[in-house]
């Protein structure tokens, strides 16, 4: 895999768990997402509604622009972690990428994605599988690029051992990516500094992608954080 050089920044030294850990929530449970995607699947079958695009359509365009800017080959192996309805995979396929895999631990999400892909004409060109990213199968490995739009956020809200599961997420990410593979995360829960802390072991921070800004009380901030990492050799 090749790409133009991107800026590099040293990660901060190991610290204690950063402030900003979140209270447990049903949003962090498998039961919540199972129920949510069963409803979305039923809605699609009854009304043809594809469901929600996480972080909006602009978030998908932003990530695809990064791939284009870096001249990522169209046959690079790409993993969409927590693919949900599979809409990001469809946009990647429309942009010419041909080696795409989406995983989700909710069977209803994968079934929804399969039916949407079939309707869009991509059912034969995109691989989908029910897979818990925190317990990856042995063949889920060797990817050039991994994308996450909200899965790490959900893991962070798990009522059971959220800190341990965040660490497990990073460990599994190391397993599925090739050496020097890219990881691009979109988060609405964590700041840049907090994400740098979480992914400091085994990953090199490359850049932050522009995201929508908001102003309140004379201060300006981002509603989401989008960071690009590279797995160390």
């Amino acid at each position: 895999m090749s790409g133009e050089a991107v800026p590099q920044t040293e990660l901060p030294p190991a610290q204690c768990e950063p402030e900003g850990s979140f209270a447990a929530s049903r949003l962090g449970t498998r039961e919540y997402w199972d129920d949510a995607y069963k409803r979305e699947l039923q809605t699609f079958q009854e009304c043809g509604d594809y469901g929600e695009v996480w972080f909006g359509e602009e978030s998908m365009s932003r990530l695809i622009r990064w791939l284009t800017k870096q001249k990522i080959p169209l046959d690079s192996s790409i993993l969409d972690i927590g693919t949900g309805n599979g809409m990001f995979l469809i946009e990647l396929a429309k942009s010419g990428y041909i080696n795409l895999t989406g995983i989700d631990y909710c069977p209803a999400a994968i079934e929804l994605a399969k039916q949407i892909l079939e309707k869009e004409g991509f059912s034969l060109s995109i691989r989908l599988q029910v897979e818990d990213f925190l317990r990856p199968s042995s063949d889920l490995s060797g990817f050039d690029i991994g994308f996450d739009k909200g899965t790490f956020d959900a893991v962070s809200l798990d009522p059971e051992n959220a800190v341990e599961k965040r660490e497990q997420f990073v460990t599994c990410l190391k397993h599925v990516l090739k050496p020097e593979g890219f990881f691009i995360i979109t988060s609405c829960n964590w700041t840049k500094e907090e994400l740098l802390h979480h992914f400091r072991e085994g990953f090199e921070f490359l850049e932050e992608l522009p995201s929508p800004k908001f102003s309140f009380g004379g201060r300006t901030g981002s509603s989401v954080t989008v960071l690009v990492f590279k797995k160390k050799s």
Side-chain angles (χ1 to χ4, degrees):
M1 183 174 59
S2 63
E4 295 177 353
V6 289
Q8 299 181 6
T9 301
E10 290 298 321
L11 297 184
Q15 310 164 3
C16 4
E17 183 70 11
E19 295 182 5
S21 293
F22 307 102
S25 167
R26 285 194 67 237
L27 289 168
T29 67
R30 180 177 300 205
E31 291 74 20
Y32 174 87
W33 295 108
D34 278 338
D35 291 343
Y37 280 112
K38 285 176 183 176
R39 291 192 299 270
E40 289 203 14
L41 176 60
Q42 182 177 0
T43 299
F44 173 75
Q45 292 171 338
E46 293 175 352
C47 312
D49 188 331
Y50 286 7
E52 183 179 0
V53 175
W54 274 60
F55 299 103
E57 293 185 4
E58 171 57 26
S59 69
M60 299 189 294
S61 299
R62 182 187 306 121
L63 299 176
I64 292 172
R65 284 196 300 269
W66 181 85
L67 292 171
T68 303
K69 178 182 176 183
Q70 300 304 320
K71 300 181 180 178
I72 301 297
L74 295 178
D75 62 351
S76 298
S77 54
I78 297 177
L79 175 66
D80 188 22
I81 302 166
T83 195
N85 58 13
M87 292 303 299
F88 182 46
L89 292 171
I90 290 173
E91 293 305 310
L92 287 167
K94 288 179 178 179
S95 298
Y97 293 92
I98 60 174
N99 192 356
L100 304 172
T101 300
I103 63 169
D104 204 293
Y105 66 8
C106 297
I110 293 299
E111 181 58 31
L112 173 62
K114 285 180 177 178
Q115 293 188 22
I116 292 175
L117 261 60
E118 183 175 2
K119 185 174 180 179
E120 291 285 334
F122 293 107
S123 59
L124 300 179
S125 57
I126 298 174
R127 292 179 296 279
L128 294 170
Q129 57 196 71
V130 178
E131 184 104 34
D132 183 348
F133 186 69
L134 299 186
R135 298 174 182 82
S137 57
S138 58
D139 61 344
L140 193 74
S141 62
F143 288 92
D144 295 309
I145 304 169
F147 284 101
D148 172 29
K149 297 197 295 106
T151 299
F152 187 73
D153 284 354
V155 167
S156 301
L157 298 172
D158 196 315
E160 298 182 5
N161 303 317
V163 172
E164 177 183 328
K165 288 181 178 179
R166 288 198 295 268
E167 294 172 350
Q168 191 174 354
F169 184 101
V170 178
T171 298
C172 294
L173 185 62
K174 295 176 191 175
H175 168 77
V176 303
L177 289 179
K178 291 179 179 178
E180 300 190 351
F182 293 111
F183 173 60
I184 300 91
I185 182 170
T186 302
S187 172
C188 62
N189 285 353
W190 298 105
T191 66
K192 173 183 176 180
E193 290 71 23
E194 289 167 337
L195 290 172
L196 291 179
H197 174 86
H198 288 309
F199 293 93
R200 69 191 183 278
E201 298 292 341
F203 291 92
E204 178 182 10
F205 171 62
L206 297 182
E207 63 178 310
E208 180 176 13
L209 302 187
S211 58
K213 305 291 184 182
F214 66 89
S215 296
F216 181 78
R219 301 182 64 182
T220 300
S222 297
S223 56
V224 298
T225 303
V226 187
L227 301 186
V228 180
F229 294 90
K230 184 170 72 172
K231 179 181 173 182
K232 295 179 179 177
S233 305

